[in-house]
Amino acid sequence: MSTLFGSSIKRREDPRLITGKGTFVDDVSLAGMVYAGILRSPYAHAKIKKIDATAARGLSGVLAVYTGADLTDALIPVPCAWNLPNADLKLPPHPHLAVEKVRYVGDGVAMVIAESRAIVRDALDLIDVDYEPLKAVVNPEAALKPGAPVLHADVAGNQAFKWVVAGGDADGAFAKAEVKVALTIKQNRLLPTAMEPRAAVASYNAGTGQLTLWATSQNPHIHRFLCSVMLKLPEHRVRIISPDVGGGFGSKIPAYADEALVAFASMKLGRPVKWTEDRSENYKATIHGRDHVQYVELCGTKAGQITGIRTTVYAGLGAYASTAGPGVPTILHGLMYSGAYTIPNIHGTIYGAYTTTTPVDAYRGAGRPEATYLIERLVDTFARELGADPVEVRRKNFIPQDKFPYTVATGITYDSGNYEGTLDKALGMLDYKGFRAEQAKALKQGRFLGVGVCTYTEICGLGPSQVAGAIGFGGGLYDSAIVRVYPTGMVRVYIGTKPHGQGEETTFAQIVADEFGYPVESVEIVSGDTDNTPQGWGTYGSRTTAVGGTAVKIAAQRVKEKAKKLAAHLLEANERDLEWKDGKFMVRGSPDKAKGFAELALMANVAWNMPAGLEPGLEATAFFDPSNFVYPFGAHLCTVEVDAETGQVKILRYIAVDDCGNVINPMIVDGQVHGGVIQGIGEALQEIAIYDDDGQLLTGTMMDYAVPKASQMPHLELARTVTPSPVNPMGVKGVGETGTIAAAATVVNAVCDALAPLGIRHIDKPLTPATVWAAIQRAKGGAA
Amino acid sequence: MPTGRITITLEVNGTPRVIAVDPRTTLLDALRECLGLTGTKKGCDHGECGACTVLLDGRRINACLTLAVMQEGHRVTTIEGLASGAALHPVQTAFLAQDAFQCGFCTPGQILSAVGCIAEGRATTRETIREGMSGNLCRCSAYPEIVEAVFLAATQPGSP
C-alpha cells in the first residue's frame, strides 16, 4: 500500500483560505463588543510629567481611559520568560502602560475603550500627555558605554546580561595561529512584518470567572500561562483561542502588554473588547529581530584548517526584555559558533543591551542567522586571505559524515549530517567550475560577477525539556497530541503546537492516515484552542514536526495498538498472529479473517464486546520529549552580477540544497524553503529598520521598510538530500527557518566575491544599490 | 467630528446592499464591519500591502484607499463572490494547484489582484506577472508559486 508520507498532497487548509472563509482574530465579532486603542509614545525616551485624559473620557461613546497608574496594582508586569543563567541577567519591570517614563517610540501610555473604532481614534487624539524628553540611545554597543543615557534606574549601564560561550582554548589558538582574519559585522535590525497584524478579542464572563481571549498566537498555551500570571487569573479559567493566524515569523511568540490590557478591560467593563494593531503600531510595538554589532575573528593554518573563532557581540534587546529576548542572541546563537565545521577552540562574549527601541525577540531563524552569517563571512574572508577556493576551505573543515553524532566545542551534539553531500549536489547544479571561468572572462570585460557559498547547519526542533530548564527557558519543550477516533471511524487530532501557515493540518493528517490505512480526508487536525488541545509549547524554532509531529505519530500508534488488541479478540486470534495489511488487521494466512480500522473504531466506541482488561473508547494522548535537538543542514549557492556604475545587485541564480531529514510533504517543504530564502534575500539586499539618533523609527511604514515583492525575487532552484535524524522515530528535522539562516550569508558572500577584484572585503547588509555604490567609490578612492 | 451617517447602495457580489455609514468609512471597513464580508483583509490600511484588493466594476482597487460613500451604485467583487456556487474561479483553482500561499492572509487580495492583472492583459509572461502582482505583498514569500499560479490561470484554455 502506498503511503501518504512523502507525498505532495494538496493542503487541507487551502479551501477555506482560498474562498475567504478563514477565521482570523480580527474577523471575530461578539455581541456587545467594544473597541480598544492604545496611545503610544512619540518619544524614544521621556519622563511623563502629566497625563490629562479628561477630554477623552468626556467624549460620547468612550467607556474608559486607563493609564499606567490604574494598572500597577491590578496587573503583574509583562514577564520575560527566558531567565538566562550565568549571565547576571537584569530584568527590570515592564509595565503594561508606561509609568513615569517611556522608553521607546511605541511604548504604551494609555488605553481607550469606546463603542466604535472611530471613537477610539478620536479619543486617543484628545489625550494630552506632557513629556520631558530625555536622550535616546539606539545602538547596543553605544548603550553600554559610560555616559550613555540610562533606561532603567536599576540597570546600571544598560547591561542586561553578559554571557560567555567557550570551548577549547581560543586565546591559545590565536596566539600561535599562522593566519588570522577579523571582521566587524552589523546585523541589520529587521521587522518581522506578518501580513496579519496582531489582534485580540477578550470576553470575560463574570458569572463563571472565565476569560476567553482570541489572540494571534504561535503558542496559545504559553499565552494562557503568561496571561494568567499577568492578570492574576487562575490558569484553568483562561482560554486562549488562536484561530487562523496570518503569519508570525516569531513575532507572535511573545506575551505583549497589549493582549493582557484588552483582557483587563473586558474584566473591568463586562463587555467583550477587540483590539487590532494598525501597521504603524505593528512596526513600532511588535517585536523586531536581529540588531547585533559583532566583532569576530577566525584563526587557522596556512593549509586552510580553522583552529579558532572569537567573538564579541553587542545584542540590542530594545527597551525591555521580551519573552524570549535574552535567549535568542545567546543560546540560539553562541552555541552554533562551530557551524558545519570542526573548530576546536571557540570563545564568544555576548552583551545584551537595553536601548530606547522596540523590544527585540525571535524573528525567523532567531540567533542562528546571525551565527551562520558571521561564520560563513569569516570562512570566506579566511579563504580570500589564503588565496584559496572558499569551497575547498569549507570541505577541509567539514565535520566528516562518519563522525556523527558529533559534539562541537560549544558543547552541543549534532545528530546527523552529510555536508559533502549537499555541497557536491549544489556545485553540480551550478557547474561551479564553469561559472568561475565565466566570472574570470567577465572581469576582463569590466563586469563583476560573483558566486557565494554557504554551508550551514542549524539547531532546531526545540528541544529536550531538561535542557530548556537548564538554559533558563521558562517552559517545557516537549509537545503533545490527542488522537481521538469517533464511532464512525472519523479521526480528530488535537495538538499542542500551533501551525500558522506551515501546513501541519495536512502533514500531520498524512502521518495519522498512514497509520490507520485511511484516506487523508478522514483525519482532521485541531490546534489553537487551549480548552481542547493538550498542554504544548507551540510553533517556533522549527519544532512543530520534529517534536509535535512525533507526538502525533506516537499517539496514533497507541490507538492502533489498542485496535489490534480488539481485532485479535473479535477475530478470536492471537495478537501475534495478526498482520497489518491493506488497512486491515488480518490473521496471517487467512485474508478473509480481517478487521478494518473503521469497524474497530465502532466496536471500541460502543464497547459491546471488549476483551477483558481493555477499556472502551479509542483515543490516545502522547507527550513527546525529544532526547536532543535536530540539526538540518545544507549548501546554498548564489551567483550575482554587480553593476559597478549603480551598485545594483542582480541575482543570476540561487541554488538551495537542503537536508531536513525525511520529508512528509515535498510540496510544503519547497514552500517553506522558498519563503525562508526570500526572507533571507530580503535581509541581504533590502530590509533594514532604521532609527535616527533621537530614537525615531524612520522605516515606520511598508513604503519605507522594503519587504520583498514578487518583482524583486529571482527564480529559486531547490534540491534535497536525505539524512534522517536519529532523534525521533520519523527521522524528520525542521525546515521552516533553514532558508532564512542560509540566504543572507550566501548572497553577501556572492557580492563580496564579485567585488573582491576592487579590494572590497566586506560590506554590511542590506546591500542596497546606494550601499554597494558607496563601497565601490571608497575602494576606488573616490569621495563617497 | 462628523457624526451623521449616509445611506448608500453598493452592488456587492451581484446583490444590491444598502448600508448606512459614517462618511469616513473606507470601502474596506464597510465590507468587513457593515456587511460581515471578512474575507477581504486589512494588512496596512494605507494602500501599501494589497491585502484588501477587491474588484470595483471589474478593476482591482485597494479597498482601504477609497471611501464607501464614493462607490455608491458601483459593483464590488470580493473573495466571497468570486466562485460560481461550488465552482471555483480559475484563479482560485490555480492557486490551489500551485500551492500559492501559506498562511492565507494575503491570499484573497492576491487572487483578486490576479483576476484584475489577467483582465488588464498584463499576465502574458512570468516577468510581466511579477511586475503586475508587485502591489501585493506576501510575507510567507510564496512568490514563486503565486507567479506560477497566475501564469497558469492566464494561459490555460478558457482562461478569464
Side-chain angles (χ1 to χ4, degrees), chain B residues 94-95 114 117-118 123 129 133 145-155:
Chain B
F95 267 61
C117 182
I118 294 168
I129 291 168
M133 292 296 291
E145 292 86 352
I146 290 169
V147 171
E148 287 307 309
V150 179
F151 187 75
L152 176 70
T155 54

Side-chain angles (χ1 to χ4, degrees), chain A residues 522-546:
Chain A
S522 302
V523 183
E524 196 165 272
I525 308 297
V526 181
S527 72
D529 184 343
T530 58
D531 262 15
N532 63 24
T533 54
Q535 176 66 40
W537 297 95
T539 287
Y540 47 80
S542 301
R543 67 187 301 277
T544 306
T545 302

Side-chain angles (χ1 to χ4, degrees), chain A residues 242 308 365 458 549:
Chain A
S242 183
E458 64 123 337

Side-chain angles (χ1 to χ4, degrees), chain A residues 394-411:
Chain A
R394 283 174 169 79
R395 226 187 260 288
K396 189 182 277 283
N397 289 280
F398 275 156
I399 299 164
Q401 190 189 356
D402 59 1
K403 296 287 190 220
F404 290 93
Y406 183 86
T407 301
V408 293
T410 60

Side-chain angles (χ1 to χ4, degrees), chain A residues 348-365:
Chain A
T349 306
I350 289 133
Y351 296 94
Y354 291 115
T355 59
T356 56
T357 63
T358 300
V360 176
D361 205 321
Y363 165 63
R364 199 170 192 170

Side-chain angles (χ1 to χ4, degrees), chain A residues 10-11 14 18 26-27 117-118 122 191-193 195 246 279 363 501 671 674-675 679 687 702 708 710, chain B residues 1 24 32-33 38 41 43 48 79 92 95-97 99 101-103 105 130 134 137 139-141 143 145:
Chain A
K10 298 300 173 202
R11 298 199 324 168
D14 288 359
I18 210 90
D26 191 56
D27 302 339
R117 279 177 167 149
D122 291 340
L191 305 179
T193 318
M195 292 305 298
R279 184 55 63 183
Y363 165 63
H674 279 154
Q679 284 190 355
E687 292 185 39
M702 288 172 143
Chain B
M1 262 163 272
R24 298 180 293 185
R32 288 182 57 81
E33 311 280 331
T38 56
K41 297 302 181 199
E48 296 163 359
I79 191 71
Q92 287 171 310
F95 267 61
L96 286 176
D99 189 37
F101 53 105
Q102 290 172 23
C103 79
F105 189 82
R130 280 194 189 94
S134 65
L137 298 181
R139 188 53 156 170
C140 300
S141 308
Y143 296 127
E145 292 86 352

